[in-house]
Amino acid sequence: MKKMQNVTIKGTKEGIVLHLNDQCSYHALKAELKHKLLAHSSLEDEESPIIAVKIQLGNRYLTPEQEEEIKSLVRAQRNLVVDEIISNVITKEAAAKAKLENEIVSATVIVRSGQVLKVEGDLLLVGDVNPGGTVIANGNIFVMGNLRGIAHAGYNGRRDAVVVASNMVPSQIRIADCLNRAPDHYAKQDRHEMECAYIDSSNHIIIDRLQVLKHLRPNITRLRGGF
């Protein structure tokens, strides 16, 4: 009967992928990994280029100490560097953070001058953002009212985030690290058509009709029915 391999080494265009069995003991896994890395390293010479290594853990969870041990085994071999460790398992803290980032937070308020409303996920605001008021979300921002203040969507770097408003007359819009101050004609009139702001392919924030999101961001919201 053929013995099951706890470590499988596969070469790719980007480097090497180590697939680690998630059913065996950690001790057995570490021993086999060390043996196979030594065998692989013996085939390389000092002139060999640096090789990036991705480590696939499957459904195995490693403590920070175990993760560092695995990295050290790889780094101890000639020309190998750890590029990434990938696991299907996440900690409770990471799961809680992901839950927050994917929530739709609704609020029925008026954000007045000097006030800041900030959420980790998407923000659905039924109310106005007055001049001097600020709304911030790690996800998308939907304002069912007048947006006359500042809106910052995707504040942690989500460039696919959008800002939507029933009346889009902002003093400033930010999406991720992009910034757009509203043109003068926006400040001088009410625009009674729902509009959206998004980052286009040229890395600029564009304000357009809401309907364009059906094509640009088809999965923009988890609300039933979408837009």
Side-chain angles (χ1 to χ4, degrees), residues 82-117:
V82 178
D83 179 48
E84 185 179 11
I85 295 181
I86 304 169
S87 173
N88 298 334
V89 181
I90 61 174
T91 63
K92 289 182 179 180
E93 292 78 11
K97 184 175 184 293
K99 182 176 182 295
L100 282 175
E101 291 177 351
N102 285 281
E103 279 185 340
I104 299 174
V105 179
S106 60
T108 305
V109 296
I110 295 175
V111 182
R112 305 182 188 280
S113 179
Q115 295 180 330
V116 177
L117 176 59

Side-chain angles (χ1 to χ4, degrees), residues 1-20:
M1 183 176 180
K2 187 176 179 180
K3 181 182 177 182
M4 182 177 180
Q5 296 187 69
N6 293 326
V7 178
T8 304
I9 300 177
K10 292 185 178 180
T12 68
K13 291 181 180 179
E14 292 77 26
I16 290 175
V17 178
L18 297 178
H19 292 272
L20 307 186

Side-chain angles (χ1 to χ4, degrees), residues 50-199:
I50 298 297
I51 301 174
V53 178
K54 291 184 185 294
I55 302 173
Q56 295 274 5
L57 298 177
N59 294 325
R60 179 185 295 274
Y61 171 73
L62 294 182
T63 66
E65 293 76 17
Q66 290 173 334
E67 189 172 301
E68 188 56 38
E69 284 183 330
I70 296 297
K71 288 181 179 178
S72 295
L73 285 175
V74 174
R75 290 193 294 250
Q77 311 310 313
R78 184 186 300 127
N79 304 325
L80 298 184
V81 294
V82 178
D83 179 48
E84 185 179 11
I85 295 181
I86 304 169
S87 173
N88 298 334
V89 181
I90 61 174
T91 63
K92 289 182 179 180
E93 292 78 11
K97 184 175 184 293
K99 182 176 182 295
L100 282 175
E101 291 177 351
N102 285 281
E103 279 185 340
I104 299 174
V105 179
S106 60
T108 305
V109 296
I110 295 175
V111 182
R112 305 182 188 280
S113 179
Q115 295 180 330
V116 177
L117 176 59
K118 182 176 181 179
V119 302
E120 292 297 321
D122 290 352
L123 172 62
L124 174 59
L125 175 65
V126 181
D128 298 334
V129 183
N130 288 348
T134 302
V135 286
I136 304 173
N138 191 33
N140 308 296
I141 295 175
F142 308 100
V143 179
M144 302 298 102
N146 299 311
L147 173 56
R148 300 179 183 277
I150 297 171
H152 187 178
Y155 72 82
N156 270 341
R158 279 191 51 186
R159 302 177 68 80
D160 63 337
V162 301
V163 177
V164 175
S166 299
N167 187 27
M168 183 78 80
V169 283
S171 58
Q172 183 187 105
I173 287 182
R174 291 186 180 187
I175 299 176
D177 58 349
C178 291
L179 182 148
N180 182 15
R181 294 186 181 276
D184 291 340
H185 72 275
Y186 270 83
K188 294 178 181 178
Q189 62 180 335
D190 285 345
R191 302 171 66 86
H192 297 293
E193 178 183 3
M194 186 170 283
E195 293 177 301
C196 62
Y198 61 91
I199 297 178

